[in-house]
């Protein structure tokens, strides 16, 4: 208490000491190792949070500005995160004048109660109520909330789970710092929890581009909080014409031989992670390298190609344009062999022949070393000879031909 208020308030100060100490403890940042800095303040002020939230009633259409594919139930969370506030920090691709969010309990085993949700401090409701219960295996989409969302900016989506629940549905290895708040303080994390999509209402955006991929799409090897994934580079180049939804999962495959930490294979998660994305017009498929190099390895390139082609046909049935990426070099990585590399080259040959996708983006050519084409250029290597650094991801994002996106079909009437 400031001294200038005098001794008249001394008794009140003493009476409030315990409450003040508790508040200070709650605001302290804790980690299992070194202390992390306090989370940045939300982009909206507390005054804005007190403004009434009205349904979105003007024109425009809903388009995804950000997505994250749910991967699995978070280990060591059999009862969820009762009493915790989860502050997911996400990076937008396009802006809008209102937002809505999707929360998922896909890997939960019991209903999940969420009793407080905000987007940049603006309160969010679900069918008019501030709390919502999400069935095990289910998801919910919020009511529209009138909040300005800027393109190419960080957005904070906070939610509280007051009661024990089943395992937390999450996306690990996000390369973005988020926060978990409990009675002990604020913890930094690189997980996104429960949140799987943020859509914005936009007059300008034509639709969304969805990137269905593995760790090379998720951004493994990139700088945390730099938003240097190739999808971020692509979003910058599109300059607001299209939202970009990243559906990358580290370890993901296209053929359903192994599930492990990489989640469902691409063919099995197409409906969930691509076709359900608001405003989806184009999907860029960057899958197959884990089928080549991961245990169990796929020795038959035709099986990989057939799975890619099947995915394309299903996307076509929903009116999407499909762009495929060639498989990038990985000589020097622990699992590389000449035989596995031959599978990669055979897949790329068919992709370049134009018989698999509507168009292709040659990621292989963009990053390979001309003097040793089975290796990536050293300046793009994150250090393990498989994943890229920020410069490598920029080379991938710059390689996408924007004309293949701009020529994509118009959104269906049910997407408006």
């Amino acid at each position: 208490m400031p001294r200038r208020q005098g001794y008249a308030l001394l008794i009140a100060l003493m009476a409030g000491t315990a409450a003040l100490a508790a508040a200070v403890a709650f605001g302290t940042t804790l980690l299992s190792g070194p202390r992390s800095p306090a989370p940045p303040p939300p982009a909206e002020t507390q005054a804005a949070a007190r403004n009434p939230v009205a349904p979105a009633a003007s024109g425009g259409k809903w388009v995804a500005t950000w997505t994250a594919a749910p991967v699995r139930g978070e280990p060591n969370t059999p009862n969820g995160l009762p009493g915790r506030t989860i502050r997911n920090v996400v990076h937008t691709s396009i802006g809008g004048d209102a937002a809505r969010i999707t929360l998922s309990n896909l890997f939960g085993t019991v209903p999940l109660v969420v009793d407080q949700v905000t987007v940049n401090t603006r309160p969010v409701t679900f069918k008019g109520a501030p709390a919502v219960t999400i069935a095990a295996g289910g998801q919910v989409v919020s009511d529209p909330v009138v909040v300005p969302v800027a393109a190419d900016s960080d957005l904070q989506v906070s939610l509280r789970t007051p009661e024990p629940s089943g395992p937390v549905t999450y996306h690990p290895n996000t390369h973005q710092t988020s926060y978990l708040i409990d009675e002990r303080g604020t913890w930094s994390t690189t997980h996104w929890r429960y949140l799987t999509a943020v859509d914005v209402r936009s007059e300008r955006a034509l639709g969304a581009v969805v990137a269905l991929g593995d760790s090379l799409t998720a951004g493994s090897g990139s700088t945390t909080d730099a938003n240097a994934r190739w999808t971020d580079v692509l979003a910058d180049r599109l300059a607001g014409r299209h939202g970009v939804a990243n559906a990358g999962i580290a370890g993901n495959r296209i053929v359903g031989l192994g599930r492990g930490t990489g989640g469902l294979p691409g063919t099995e998660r197409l409906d969930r992670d691509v076709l359900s994305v608001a405003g989806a017009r184009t999907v860029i498929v960057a899958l197959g390298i884990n089928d080549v190099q991961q245990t169990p390895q796929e020795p038959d390139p035709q099986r990989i190609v057939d799975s890619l082609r099947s995915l394309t046909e299903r996307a076509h049935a929903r009116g999407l344009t499909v762009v495929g990426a060639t498989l990038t070099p990985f000589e020097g990585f622990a699992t590389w062999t000449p035989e596995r590399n031959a599978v990669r080259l055979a897949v790329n040959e068919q992709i370049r022949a134009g018989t698999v996708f509507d168009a292709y983006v040659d990621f292989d050519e963009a990053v390979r070393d001309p003097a040793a084409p089975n290796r990536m250029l050293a300046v793009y290597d994150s250090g393990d000879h498989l994943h890229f650094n920020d410069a490598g991801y920029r080379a991938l994002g710059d390689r996408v031909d924007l004309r293949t996106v701009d020529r994509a079909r118009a959104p269906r009437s049910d997407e408006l």
Side-chain angles (χ1 to χ4, degrees), residues 87-106:
R87 183 173 294 168
N88 294 299
V89 179
V90 306
H91 194 73
T92 64
S93 57
I94 57 171
D97 61 5
R100 68 184 185 188
I101 65 170
T102 301
L103 301 178
S104 173
N105 191 26
L106 179 62

Side-chain angles (χ1 to χ4, degrees), residues 223-237:
T223 303
T224 297
D225 296 327
N227 301 303
R229 310 164 191 87
W230 70 260
T231 53
D232 297 313
V233 176
L234 176 61
D236 290 344
R237 293 179 62 214

Side-chain angles (χ1 to χ4, degrees), residues 133-262:
T133 299
I134 310 170
Q139 67 176 26
V140 296
V141 178
S142 76
D143 300 332
V145 54
V146 177
V147 57
V149 177
D152 192 23
S153 65
D154 286 347
L155 189 76
Q156 296 187 20
V157 180
S158 296
L159 58 106
R160 189 178 73 173
T161 55
E163 302 174 2
S165 62
V168 175
T169 296
Y170 87 134
H171 183 107
N173 307 315
T174 64
H175 315 290
Q176 188 107 35
T177 302
S178 293
Y179 301 91
L180 182 63
I181 303 167
D182 61 19
E183 70 281 358
R184 298 166 293 171
T186 300
W187 307 66
S188 64
T189 176
T190 54
H191 299 339
W192 288 315
R193 295 176 169 96
Y194 297 123
L195 181 69
T196 59
V198 178
D199 306 329
V200 294
R201 190 182 58 193
S202 172
E203 295 279 0
R204 181 186 177 198
L206 301 174
V209 180
V210 187
L212 183 66
D214 47 39
S215 59
L216 302 181
T217 296
S220 295
S222 66
T223 303
T224 297
D225 296 327
N227 301 303
R229 310 164 191 87
W230 70 260
T231 53
D232 297 313
V233 176
L234 176 61
D236 290 344
R237 293 179 62 214
L238 287 168
R241 297 196 303 279
H242 305 270
V244 177
N246 189 317
I249 296 179
N252 202 229
R253 307 168 67 113
I254 185 66
V255 182
L257 288 178
R259 302 199 176 188
T261 60

Side-chain angles (χ1 to χ4, degrees), residues 22-70:
V24 171
F26 184 80
T28 302
T29 299
L30 300 177
L31 283 175
S32 56
R35 292 177 184 268
S36 68
E44 293 290 301
T45 65
Q46 292 299 323
R50 293 192 291 270
N51 290 341
V53 177
S58 65
K61 55 184 173 292
W62 289 105
V63 180
T65 187
W66 172 91
T67 63

